[in-house]
Amino acid sequence: MRRRTYVALAASLAFVALDMGSVRAQSKYDVGANDHEIAIGNILAYSGPVSSLGVIGKVEAAYFKKINDEGGISRRKINFISYDDGYSPPKTVEQARKLVESDEVLLVFNPVGTPTNAAIQKYMNSKKVPQLFVGTGATRWNDPTEFPWTMGWQPSYQAEGRIYAKYILKAKPTARIAVLYQNDDLGKDYLKGLKDGLGDKASMIISEESYETSEPTIDSHIVKLKATGADVFISVALPKAAAQSIRKVSEMGWKPLFILSSIGASIGTVIRPAGLENAQGIISTVYLKDPSDPQWASDEAKRRFDTFIAKYAPEMDKNDFFIVYAYAISQTMVKVLEQCGDNLTRANIMQQASNLKDFKPDMMLPGIAINTSPSDFAPIEDMRMVQLQGDRWETFGDVMSSSGAAN
C-alpha cells in the first residue's frame, strides 16, 4: 500500500515537472526576460535643469513594486532599473548603452525628454531594443517605417499647437501672438503645429523667442515679448521655465490671453510654486483626470489611483500632473506585457504595443482612449481644453482630435 502511494506521488511529481517543462518550452525570451523576471530600463532627469521630472521615475518604480507585490506578470517580477541623465543628451547615450549592453534590459520604457530621446533613437533601433512610450510629444516618435523600435505615448506637440490655433481663431480672431519656446525639437514642434493651425493667418504671430534649458532664467525673453504689444502669450515650457513665465508675466502686470503648454501645466510642480494668484485664467490642455477635481470623487478608477498613492507613494502630491502621468503610462506598460503572455521577445513587445485597442488607463479622461496599429505609433491623439479656476483646471468645450476638430 505504501509502495503504491510512493509510486503515485512520484508519477504526480513527474507529471508536474513535465507540465512545467512544457510551459518553459513554449515560452520565448530575449535578453532581459526569463521565467522569473522582466528587466525594464528607464532614463530621465533626477538632476539638472528639469529635475522636477524625476518624480515620474519614482512613481513608476512604486507602481511596478505594486505589480510585484501582487504576484508580478504571469509570475514574473519586474526589475525596474532607472538612471539619471540630467537632461543631457550625451549622458542619455551613456545610460542607454549601460542599460542595453551591461544591464541587458528587455526594453527601455518611458525615457523622458525630447533632445535626450533623439540622441538615442538611432542607437536603440540599430540594436532592435524597444524605446517604448517615450516621455515627449515630438512627432518623430510616430515613424514606424524608419524607426520601428521607437514609440511615443502622449499627444503630439504639433497636435496641441493646432488645438491652440483653433481656440485663438475662435476666441480672439484679431490676436497679436507672442511665443516663448524651448529651442529644440520640443519647442519647434509646438510652433509648427501653431502655425499650421493658423494657416494663412500665421502672421498673427508677431514675435517668437527661443530659450535654452540651461538658462538660469527666461525673464529677459518675457520682457522682450511684452514689449511687442502682443495680447496673446503662449509659453511652451517645461516646469522650471513655465513657473518663471507665470511669475514674470504677473510681476510686469502684463494681461495677455495666457496659454501654457500641457508639459508645464502641473498644479503641484508649476502652478503652486509660481503662485495660484498669478496663474488664474491660464489656458492649457489635458488628457488625464485632475485628482483634485470633485467630479471624480466617486469615480472608481480614481479611487484605485488614490489607494495606490496612499500605499506606495504617500509622500507625493497626488494632484501633481506628472504623478498621474506616471501612473497611467505604467499601466499601459503593464497592459503590453500582459498581452505578450509567455512570448517576451523584443519583437513581440513592439507587436503588442502596436496593437492596443481602446485601452483606458484609470486616469484617462472620458472620451479619450489609447489606440495603436503597426502604421500608427501615436497612442493618444485627443485632448480637452482647460482653464485654471481657483486651485484646479476646469475643462471646457469638446474632446479635440489631433486634427484640431471636435469629436
Side-chain angles (χ1 to χ4, degrees), residues 221-238:
H221 298 293
I222 304 293
V223 172
K224 289 180 183 178
L225 292 171
K226 178 180 183 294
T228 64
D231 54 11
V232 172
F233 170 55
I234 301 176
S235 178
V236 177
L238 288 168

Side-chain angles (χ1 to χ4, degrees), residues 37-191:
E37 181 181 279
I38 304 170
I40 295 177
N42 170 258
I43 311 169
L44 52 76
Y46 291 100
S47 63
V50 294
S51 59
S52 58
L53 299 178
V55 70
I56 296 171
K58 294 176 182 178
V59 174
E60 290 167 347
Y63 190 80
F64 294 140
K65 183 179 188 307
K66 169 186 177 294
I67 294 299
N68 288 343
D69 288 349
E70 293 170 352
I73 298 173
S74 298
R75 305 175 308 281
R76 300 176 181 92
K77 300 297 179 72
I78 295 174
N79 178 14
F80 183 62
I81 306 169
S82 183
Y83 291 139
D84 177 23
D85 66 359
Y87 204 68
S88 168
K91 185 68 173 178
T92 314
V93 172
E94 177 186 330
Q95 302 292 39
R97 288 184 178 277
K98 184 177 180 181
L99 286 169
V100 173
E101 298 170 23
S102 297
D103 298 311
E104 296 187 323
V105 297
L106 180 64
L107 66 129
V108 174
F109 159 68
N110 190 221
V112 176
T114 299
T116 51
N117 271 287
I120 64 172
Q121 188 175 17
K122 288 184 178 179
Y123 169 77
M124 298 298 292
N125 279 263
S126 70
K127 290 291 185 178
K128 297 183 179 181
V129 177
Q131 181 185 9
L132 194 56
F133 304 142
V134 298
T136 151
T139 55
R140 65 185 295 158
W141 320 127
N142 183 14
D143 188 358
T145 300
E146 186 71 20
F147 297 106
W149 298 92
T150 302
M151 181 182 289
W153 188 77
Q154 68 204 64
S156 81
Y157 299 144
Q158 287 190 28
E160 189 173 342
R162 290 194 294 271
I163 289 173
Y164 292 145
K166 182 178 178 68
Y167 172 74
I168 291 169
L169 289 172
K170 184 177 180 179
K172 207 171 181 67
T174 60
R176 293 164 55 82
I177 305 169
V179 184
L180 175 74
Y181 67 97
Q182 191 167 299
N183 189 28
D184 57 19
D185 285 348
L186 179 157
K188 293 171 184 176
D189 262 14
Y190 268 107
L191 192 59

Side-chain angles (χ1 to χ4, degrees), residues 173-313:
T174 60
R176 293 164 55 82
I177 305 169
V179 184
L180 175 74
Y181 67 97
Q182 191 167 299
N183 189 28
D184 57 19
D185 285 348
L186 179 157
K188 293 171 184 176
D189 262 14
Y190 268 107
L191 192 59
K192 183 179 187 305
L194 179 66
K195 290 179 177 179
D196 288 349
L198 292 173
D200 59 8
K201 294 189 177 180
S203 59
M204 293 168 69
I205 301 174
I206 62 171
S207 183
E208 304 168 10
E209 278 282 315
S210 66
Y211 71 92
E212 306 296 332
T213 57
S214 57
E215 293 182 46
T217 174
I218 45 85
D219 285 2
S220 62
H221 298 293
I222 304 293
V223 172
K224 289 180 183 178
L225 292 171
K226 178 180 183 294
T228 64
D231 54 11
V232 172
F233 170 55
I234 301 176
S235 178
V236 177
L238 288 168
K240 177 184 173 183
Q244 289 179 350
S245 66
I246 292 170
R247 285 195 295 266
K248 190 61 179 178
V249 166
S250 176
E251 176 188 306
M252 293 189 301
W254 190 16
K255 301 292 184 182
L257 170 64
F258 193 149
I259 295 176
L260 180 64
S261 59
S262 63
I263 54 170
S266 169
I267 296 289
T269 308
V270 176
I271 304 300
R272 291 189 187 281
L276 280 169
E277 69 283 2
N278 299 326
Q280 296 304 302
I282 287 179
I283 300 290
S284 190
T285 53
V286 295
Y287 53 95
L288 298 171
K289 298 171 186 173
D290 176 357
S292 68
D293 191 330
Q295 72 173 303
W296 310 121
S298 59
D299 180 63
E300 185 59 34
K302 193 260 184 181
R303 287 178 180 173
R304 288 194 291 271
F305 168 75
D306 289 342
T307 299
F308 161 73
I309 293 296
K311 182 174 181 179
Y312 289 94

